[in-house]
């Protein structure tokens, strides 16, 4: 699983809890950036990470408490990429997701809406099928050494992509809250 950290770097959790030969642990890495490794028409086929430092590990039980099931157990969709800021994103990520929205093709886009020393907001926009969309939002705030996290899952009838010259984070939605955590 990949996620955007508050400093804009990419975090990677590797799950060996479901691997027959794994040691039933989650491993954590922090990488400077993610980029498209090989592009294909309509979006990247995969991306690569650069400048990774491997951290420690954590037992699966602790990780499952940290993420709500609607996020950690969501169906896997092709990932168009990450948008860390309007000027710093995986090349082609927004175009890939724009094409998926228009065609109703399953895809996911992770976008940092805001970040500061005191918190961040990250959205995962998902095209499930034609006319069916989902928005998952994680809002984190920090006061001193304490970080709180709130999650919202929304079911959406519409995702409106911004024009080509608009910031890629200007995705508008017509959604209803399904669950919170």
């Amino acid at each position: 699983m990949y996620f955007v950290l508050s400093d804009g770097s990419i975090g990677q959790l590797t799950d060996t809890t479901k691997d027959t030969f794994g040691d039933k642990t989650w491993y954590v890495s922090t990488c400077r950036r993610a980029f498209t490794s090989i592009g294909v028409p309509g979006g990247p086929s995969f991306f690569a990470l650069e400048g990774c430092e491997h951290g420690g590990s954590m037992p699966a039980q602790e990780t499952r408490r940290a993420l709500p099931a609607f996020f950690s157990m969501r169906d896997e969709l092709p990932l168009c990429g990450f948008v860390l800021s309007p000027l710093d994103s995986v090349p082609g990520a927004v175009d890939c997701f724009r094409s998926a929205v228009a065609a109703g093709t399953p895809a996911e886009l992770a976008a940092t809406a805001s970040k500061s020393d005191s918190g961040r907001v990250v959205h995962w926009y998902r095209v499930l099928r034609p006319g069916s969309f989902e928005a998952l939002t994680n809002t984190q705030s920090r006061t001193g050494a304490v970080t709180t996290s709130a999650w919202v899952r929304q079911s959406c009838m519409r995702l409106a992509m911004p024009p080509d010259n608009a910031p890629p984070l200007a995705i508008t939605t017509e959604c209803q809250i399904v669950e919170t955590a």
Side-chain angles (χ1 to χ4, degrees):
M1 176 181 351
Y2 302 95
F3 52 94
V4 181
L5 298 168
S6 61
D7 65 358
S9 61
I10 305 298
Q12 176 185 18
L13 291 177
T14 303
D15 178 7
T16 66
T17 63
K18 298 174 186 167
D19 183 347
T20 305
F21 303 102
D23 61 3
K24 309 303 180 214
T25 303
W26 283 83
Y27 290 94
V28 181
S29 300
T30 304
C31 305
R32 228 180 25 254
R33 73 181 193 109
F35 62 95
T36 306
S37 182
I38 294 177
V40 295
S45 57
F46 65 92
F47 64 93
L49 300 172
E50 180 177 84
C52 297
E53 294 179 19
H54 302 289
S57 62
M58 62 179 70
Q61 187 72 13
E62 293 176 26
T63 303
R64 286 195 183 111
R65 270 188 256 126
L67 295 172
F70 65 75
F71 182 80
S72 63
M73 305 303 273
R74 71 192 188 281
D75 290 337
E76 186 175 322
L77 298 176
L79 178 65
C80 285
F82 301 95
V83 177
L84 305 178
S85 73
L87 301 176
D88 185 15
S89 65
V90 173
V94 174
D95 291 336
C96 168
F97 194 72
R98 181 180 281 118
S99 296
V101 169
T105 307
E108 183 172 80
L109 176 72
T112 301
S114 64
K115 63 181 179 180
S116 68
D117 290 339
S118 61
R120 69 178 178 155
V121 177
V122 181
H123 301 282
W124 285 264
Y125 296 107
R126 297 166 47 86
V127 180
L128 304 176
R129 60 188 169 278
S132 179
F133 309 98
E134 184 174 61
L136 307 173
T137 303
N138 177 236
T139 304
Q140 293 185 349
S141 59
R142 186 179 338 183
T143 305
V146 177
T147 300
T148 58
S149 181
W151 286 86
V152 176
R153 177 177 167 244
Q154 299 178 77
S155 176
C156 308
M157 297 183 331
R158 187 172 99 84
L159 290 181
M161 295 298 295
D164 287 339
N165 59 354
L169 302 178
I171 297 173
T172 58
T173 61
E174 291 179 15
C175 304
Q176 292 184 335
I177 293 176
V178 176
E179 343 179 28
T180 61

